[in-house]
């Protein structure tokens, strides 16, 4: 039987990924230190005999007894508030986590996929962002622990390919949203929905003209699995929604969808907050035959329904 390791598997994206892989009949080991992951996210998976959970930290060498033939490395907090909480830990998680999954992949002759990020492009000067763009990244700012950690992880992935022939693959994920986001993890979609459901002020940072491109989690997970299954393609490949909207438009959408009484308030823009972000996904379309199927209007409806059900 195929065995798959998902690090960060109790987090937002990881829990959906574990579920989808289990549905294909494979055995899944979910490894997580529960920093931003929750047992709630994976509670339904424990009933499946093919599911195993290990509470461990990727900064330590991985003591996985069972052979695994696929590894998805998602362990790393993704929300700016969470990754800036202990920035040194974030850099260690990115670098040492990548090193340890690569060592395990080398030992097991396993395929290994790194969940990299659009943050490797920093505050981009090229728009939309293509994979060959090398980015505009501050190496000493508050976001650097994450951005530079993810960049050096990509470097390690390519060096393990070149030196040891490890089948190491890289995806660059753009802003993703959906059920299983933490209510309080500080990302914009969960913040706005929770504020709207509680009739509290909607907090826009800056003037709301900055843009992002929001991908529904089910679409992203399909892209992640397609990348793992694609032979002779290492990436990096962008995965995200090519439709770009401003933060103000997102706030207005969520106000309309929830019917909230909340009013918008404006707060200071965080340091180094990227001004524009939109993926060029032509490589994903060409190599993986991957496209978005859930428009933002529908994905936001589903996400609001999830947060309402927990309210
Ligand atoms: P998340 O915070 O919900 O999930 C991360 C998971 O990793 C959590 O379960 C957390 O407990 C675990 N983790 C953190 N540090 C760990 C460590 N040292 N050892 C073991 N486990 C650890 O975030 P997410 O949105 O699900 O993101 C998953 C991955 O995708 C991350 O690597 C992130 O950088 C990447 N990504 C996400 C987005 C997005 O929009 N969600 C965008 C770009 C990249
Ligand atoms: N943002 C906002 N209000 C919030 C949370 C975030 O205006 O309550 C903005 C943030 O400044 C950024 C965008 O929304 O411009 C996306 O932020 P998020 O933290 O979700 O992800 P990022 O893409 O910045 O990593």
């Amino acid at each position: 039987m195929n065995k798959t390791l998902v690090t960060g598997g109790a987090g937002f994206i990881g829990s959906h990924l574990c579920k989808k892989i289990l549905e294909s009949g494979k055995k899944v080991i979910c490894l997580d230190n529960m920093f931003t992951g929750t047992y709630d996210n994976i509670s339904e998976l424990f009933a499946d005999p093919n599911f195993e959970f290990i509470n461990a930290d990727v900064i330590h060498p991985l003591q996985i007894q069972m052979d695994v033939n696929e590894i998805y490395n998602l362990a790393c907090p993704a929300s700016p508030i969470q990754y800036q909480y202990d920035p040194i830990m974030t850099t260690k998680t990115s670098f040492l986590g990548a090193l340890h999954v690569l060592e395990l992949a080398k030992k097991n002759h396993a395929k290994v996929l790194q969940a990299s990020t659009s943050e490797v492009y920093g505050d981009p000067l090229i728009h939309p962002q293509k994979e060959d763009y090398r980015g505009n990244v501050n190496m000493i700012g508050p976001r650097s622990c994450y951005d530079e950690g993810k960049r050096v992880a990509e470097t390690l992935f390519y060096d393990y390919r070149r030196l040891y022939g490890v089948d190491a693959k890289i995806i660059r994920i753009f802003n993703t949203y959906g059920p299983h986001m933490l209510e309080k993890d500080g990302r914009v979609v969960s913040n706005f929905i929770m504020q709207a459901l509680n009739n509290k002020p909607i907090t826009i940072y800056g003037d709301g003209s900055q843009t992002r491109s929001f991908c529904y989690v089910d679409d992203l997970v399909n892209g992640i699995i397609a990348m793992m299954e694609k032979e002779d393609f290492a990436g990096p490949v962008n995965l995200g929604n090519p439709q770009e909207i401003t933060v103000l438009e997102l706030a207005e959408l969520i106000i309309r969808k929830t019917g909230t009484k909340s009013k918008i308030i404006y707060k200071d823009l965080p340091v180094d907050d990227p001004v524009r972000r939109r993926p060029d996904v032509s490589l994903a379309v060409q190599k993986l035959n991957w496209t978005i199927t859930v428009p933002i209007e529908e994905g936001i409806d589903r996400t609001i329904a999830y947060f309402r059900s927990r309210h």
Side-chain angles (χ1 to χ4, degrees):
M1 177 185 265
N2 291 321
K3 290 169 196 159
T4 301
L5 170 66
V6 180
T7 75
F12 158 49
I13 297 170
S15 54
H16 291 277
L17 181 63
C18 287
K19 185 172 182 212
K20 187 91 183 179
I21 299 168
L22 284 169
E23 283 167 3
S24 71
K26 292 180 180 172
K27 204 172 173 69
V28 171
I29 302 170
C30 165
L31 183 147
D32 204 296
N33 72 351
M34 305 314 260
F35 176 54
T36 49
T38 67
Y39 287 104
D40 217 26
N41 283 347
I42 52 172
S43 59
E44 62 173 316
L45 308 183
F46 282 98
D48 190 325
N50 284 335
F51 182 72
E52 186 187 338
F53 175 74
I54 299 176
N55 191 328
D57 199 307
V58 294
I59 69 164
H60 305 300
L62 302 175
Q63 311 290 338
I64 307 284
Q65 298 307 324
M66 268 185 290
D67 288 343
V68 290
N69 58 0
E70 285 179 350
I71 305 167
Y72 293 87
N73 187 34
L74 274 68
C76 186
S79 156
I81 287 179
Q82 304 285 4
Y83 69 64
Q84 290 170 27
Y85 172 76
D86 185 347
I88 295 167
M89 186 63 182
T90 299
T91 305
K92 283 169 79 174
T93 295
S94 276
F95 175 71
L96 293 172
L99 184 71
H100 293 142
V101 295
L102 285 162
E103 278 297 316
L104 186 67
K106 183 175 152 222
K107 194 170 105 195
N108 285 358
H109 304 289
K111 291 194 276 186
V112 58
L113 179 146
Q114 169 67 3
S116 190
T117 168
S118 53
E119 287 282 325
V120 299
Y121 304 122
D123 191 4
L125 304 175
I126 299 284
H127 196 76
Q129 292 79 55
K130 270 178 99 80
E131 289 83 354
D132 59 5
Y133 177 49
R134 294 181 187 175
N136 174 37
V137 179
N138 179 358
M139 70 293 278
I140 54 170
R143 298 176 87 100
S144 310
C145 58
Y146 183 75
D147 300 8
E148 296 290 9
K150 290 286 187 178
R151 283 167 70 98
V152 79
E154 289 200 13
T155 307
L156 270 180
F157 265 61
Y158 258 80
D159 282 334
Y160 268 72
R161 280 190 77 80
R162 280 189 285 259
L163 288 176
Y164 305 121
V166 171
D167 193 355
K169 295 159 168 279
I170 298 168
I171 54 166
R172 293 187 181 145
I173 303 171
F174 283 64
N175 294 66
T176 299
Y177 69 98
H180 295 189
M181 293 183 93
L182 285 179
E183 288 176 12
K184 291 186 181 160
D185 88 347
R187 282 182 272 193
V188 68
V189 173
S190 46
N191 266 14
F192 285 0
I193 293 178
M194 289 311 298
Q195 289 162 346
L197 294 181
N198 290 312
N199 293 308
K200 297 256 175 66
I202 308 274
T203 54
I204 288 188
Y205 303 157
D207 62 6
S209 63
Q210 71 270 37
T211 68
R212 294 292 187 272
S213 306
F214 295 98
C215 177
Y216 189 68
V217 64
D218 289 359
D219 278 332
L220 178 78
V221 165
N222 288 338
I224 297 177
I225 292 173
M227 179 57 175
M228 181 63 100
E229 288 175 355
K230 179 75 182 173
E231 291 192 1
D232 302 320
F233 179 50
V237 62
N238 290 336
L239 292 178
N241 187 347
Q243 189 201 341
E244 179 183 5
I245 66 169
T246 67
V247 166
L248 177 59
E249 285 167 343
L250 177 72
E252 287 166 344
L253 175 67
I254 290 172
I255 289 170
R256 177 162 58 81
K257 292 279 188 186
T258 52
T260 183
K261 298 189 184 71
S262 299
K263 297 278 177 267
I264 289 173
I265 59 165
Y266 292 88
K267 295 193 157 192
D268 289 344
L269 192 66
V271 174
D272 288 341
D273 200 277
V275 176
R276 296 185 79 186
R277 185 184 286 159
R278 172 157 67 96
D280 180 323
V281 291
S282 46
L283 188 64
V285 173
Q286 179 205 333
K287 291 281 189 184
L288 307 176
N289 198 20
W290 179 79
T291 46
I292 293 292
T293 62
V294 183
I296 185 136
E297 295 258 345
E298 188 183 329
I300 289 291
D301 278 341
R302 291 191 206 171
T303 311
I304 291 169
Y306 167 76
F307 283 117
R308 268 214 173 103
S309 72
R310 302 170 59 80
H311 219 46

